[in-house]
Amino acid sequence: MPKKYRLSHADFVRLSRAKSRRVHGAYFFLTITTLPSSSGPKMASVVSKKVAARAVDRNKIERYCRESLRSHMARIRRPTALVFHAKREATKASFPEIRKDIDGLLARAGVLA
């Protein structure tokens, strides 16, 4: 994922105080927050140790999430922060299942142009 689409630590701190909404899927839940700047969309993927104890599994889920979002980021026009939080079910999901879940989350959230 190019750097211009990634959320920084400072962005996370600002987002914790901002008003946001959540959309739930089978493998992820999505937190959507509007960004104050006109920098465009930014995203992050969060996989906790409670979801996947092994780092290999956490990294795989994050890679699948980023790859699923890569084609969608150019179509999001509003300055929006998208934070994908993995659920336990994501550890056993295949890439096509994760891609389908993320496509559904973005469609239900209404962020795609």
Side-chain angles (χ1 to χ4, degrees), residues 33-49:
T33 310
T34 55
L35 291 173
S37 64
S38 62
S39 61
K42 294 190 178 228
M43 68 80 59
S45 176
V46 178
V47 184
S48 72
K49 286 185 179 180

Side-chain angles (χ1 to χ4, degrees), residues 80-101:
T80 307
L82 305 170
V83 181
F84 290 86
H85 298 270
K87 295 181 179 180
R88 285 199 175 118
E89 292 82 8
T91 57
K92 293 181 176 61
S94 65
F95 178 66
E97 292 171 332
I98 288 178
R99 180 177 215 125
K100 183 178 177 184
D101 188 47

Side-chain angles (χ1 to χ4, degrees), residues 3-92:
K3 191 172 183 175
K4 68 179 183 176
Y5 292 135
R6 286 185 252 158
L7 280 171
S8 66
H9 177 71
D11 291 333
F12 266 105
V13 172
R14 273 187 253 126
L15 291 179
S16 65
R17 290 179 250 132
K19 185 179 177 188
S20 61
R21 65 186 183 108
R22 286 186 179 178
V23 179
H24 289 270
Y27 304 113
F28 292 91
F29 70 87
L30 170 62
T31 304
I32 306 155
T33 310
T34 55
L35 291 173
S37 64
S38 62
S39 61
K42 294 190 178 228
M43 68 80 59
S45 176
V46 178
V47 184
S48 72
K49 286 185 179 180
K50 285 184 179 181
V51 170
R54 296 184 335 153
V56 173
D57 297 332
R58 291 192 303 271
N59 292 336
K60 182 181 85 168
I61 294 168
E62 286 185 5
R63 280 195 316 272
Y64 285 175
C65 182
R66 281 194 309 264
E67 187 58 36
S68 298
L69 282 169
R70 189 178 307 275
S71 62
H72 295 299
M73 292 305 283
R75 295 184 354 198
I76 301 171
R77 299 289 178 219
R78 291 179 283 166
T80 307
L82 305 170
V83 181
F84 290 86
H85 298 270
K87 295 181 179 180
R88 285 199 175 118
E89 292 82 8
T91 57
K92 293 181 176 61

